[in-house]
Amino acid sequence: MDLAQHADARLAQWSALTRGGACCDRPAPGLCAGDREIVRFPGGSTAQVHLTTAMIERLRPALRTSTALNLTPAPTGWVGVRLETSSDIDLLATLVSAALLAAERTTD
């Protein structure tokens, strides 16, 4: 099992997340909170987390310090996470927690 699969399996156990469904209209595996896609695994050893643009701006100083993250220049609300070590999975889990909080607060 590669790290992306391990991360997917770990997060799929969270009661706040469900696999696929109406929120994921793409072939890449994803996990949702209600009808909102929160995390997806587009392939390789990567994940993408929907933090919302507001949450990204709030966390930007901390997010910039991680070499495992890819912040897109356009405000999409998504952050890429490179999964190369088990600590990257822990980082992903932390970001997913933040994404769940952001999803409760906004419709971004």
Side-chain angles (χ1 to χ4, degrees), residues 43-74:
S45 294
T46 61
Q48 296 172 331
V49 181
H50 190 254
L51 286 175
T52 73
T53 54
M55 182 67 79
I56 290 170
E57 288 310 311
R58 191 173 312 123
L59 298 176
R60 187 172 293 279
L63 296 175
R64 282 190 194 153
T65 65
S66 176
T67 58
L69 299 180
N70 178 22
L71 300 174
T72 60

Side-chain angles (χ1 to χ4, degrees), residues 24-89:
C24 300
D25 60 353
R26 65 185 76 245
L31 297 167
C32 305
D35 62 354
R36 174 177 230 139
E37 188 176 23
I38 298 293
V39 61
R40 58 189 177 204
F41 298 91
S45 294
T46 61
Q48 296 172 331
V49 181
H50 190 254
L51 286 175
T52 73
T53 54
M55 182 67 79
I56 290 170
E57 288 310 311
R58 191 173 312 123
L59 298 176
R60 187 172 293 279
L63 296 175
R64 282 190 194 153
T65 65
S66 176
T67 58
L69 299 180
N70 178 22
L71 300 174
T72 60
T76 64
W78 289 91
V79 172
V81 183
R82 217 174 16 257
L83 301 171
E84 296 176 344
T85 67
S86 59
S87 63
D88 295 336
I89 294 174

